[in-house]
């Protein structure tokens, strides 16, 4: 895979009863916040930016965290937007509207 | 259904070859911008807020527009977040992070 | 909107602690099963087919049911696939693979 | 991460004009078909099963293929369902309905 910037949205949907699902969501967001790549927290998902490798590393770190913390069950919903010949950033998609 | 605030994310994924897919996305966003309910445009989707009825009306208006404009084919990806006993807003979900 | 067949996938993600989330999912699926349009239950979502009006009526019926039954909070994830000039069916998309 | 079975749905949404988007979808499905893990092709996504490592390897292989084949731009939509203490299979979620 290339080293261009890819753009991804990450949403965690816990399937649990022991804690309020949002508590797991907050833990997942904290992992993303500390991952060292650009992120924007939205109402439904957190959008991150980095190389493909960097983004997949963050996705794996979130799932690894939830596993190590014994979150009973969860769905990680991901959208990865990739351009084969160049960068694709969040700003490029929204700046004309902001 | 109740009259509380619901929260929804709307993403349009055109399946076309005649125009660049983003052109259809921009038209869909314009429909949302003119619908008169609160919205926030993000890199993957536009998040709207309103009563269930208001939000479904916007979703229908977007699909109606794409149909009337002869967009060949598209996927409308929607996440509707609803609380049966009260409002659920975008701000409530992100303010502690902003 | 036209009267052609549209294709939609419906996924219910309860945000609850009082019951196992799957119990709400099963109730939502039962609403779809009794709605009188074609459906296929998959591991992540139930795919339905019908006119736009019929499909939106089922989506509304599911949300109405969860509201009337006091499901605390849920996300309805929907993908609506629409072709402006004709039908789009599930079979058309998978028959060459089955 | 554990070695239990996880369950994932993979959907490819090409953002292209040079070929019909379905042609890229078919290529992605062929990669999944040849990956050696259990899969079920549905109207909106292909559901796969395997260990977390096996599933992520397939997701990476699909993206790698599209990159090597110069697909201009695409969104890979993924839902990963993971249980920290055991397997989660597609059958478990649908068998009572089939």
């Amino acid at each position: 895979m290339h080293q261009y910037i890819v753009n991804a949205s990450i949403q965690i949907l816990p399937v649990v009863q022991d804690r309020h699902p949002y508590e797991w969501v907050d833990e997942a967001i904290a992992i993303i916040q500390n991952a060292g790549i650009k992120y924007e927290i939205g109402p439904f998902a957190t959008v991150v930016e980095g190389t493909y490798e960097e983004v997949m590393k963050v996705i794996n770190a979130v799932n690894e965290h939830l596993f190590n913390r014994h979150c009973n069950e969860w769905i990680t919903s991901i959208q990865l937007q990739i351009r084969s010949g160049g960068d694709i950033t969040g700003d490029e998609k929204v700046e004309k509207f902001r």
Side-chain angles (χ1 to χ4, degrees), chain A:
Chain A
M1 181 60 74
H2 59 49
Q3 292 300 309
Y4 293 119
I5 296 293
V6 305
N7 200 222
S9 89
I10 304 170
Q11 176 185 53
I12 299 298
L13 303 152
V15 182
V16 296
Q17 283 188 271
D18 55 344
R19 292 172 77 196
H20 191 286
Y22 283 2
E23 290 178 38
W24 289 113
V25 172
D26 291 350
E27 288 195 23
I29 289 175
I31 297 291
I32 296 171
Q33 288 177 305
N34 298 314
I37 62 174
K38 191 177 171 186
Y39 67 88
E40 180 184 339
I41 300 167
F44 283 90
T46 297
V47 174
V48 299
E49 264 178 34
T51 63
Y52 182 82
E53 225 175 301
E54 287 170 338
V55 165
M56 296 308 280
K57 205 172 146 200
V58 171
I59 291 167
N60 290 333
V62 166
N63 287 321
E64 201 69 38
H65 173 83
L66 294 173
F67 164 58
N68 291 329
R69 290 269 297 138
H70 309 295
C71 176
N72 181 44
E73 186 178 325
W74 71 96
I75 293 176
T76 304
S77 258
I78 302 154
Q79 290 207 313
L80 276 164
Q81 187 155 4
I82 302 166
R83 197 171 275 153
S84 58
D87 293 342
I88 179 155
T89 65
D91 288 346
E92 161 202 334
K93 294 190 276 181
V94 299
E95 60 204 356
K96 63 184 165 194
F97 300 109
R98 288 192 180 168

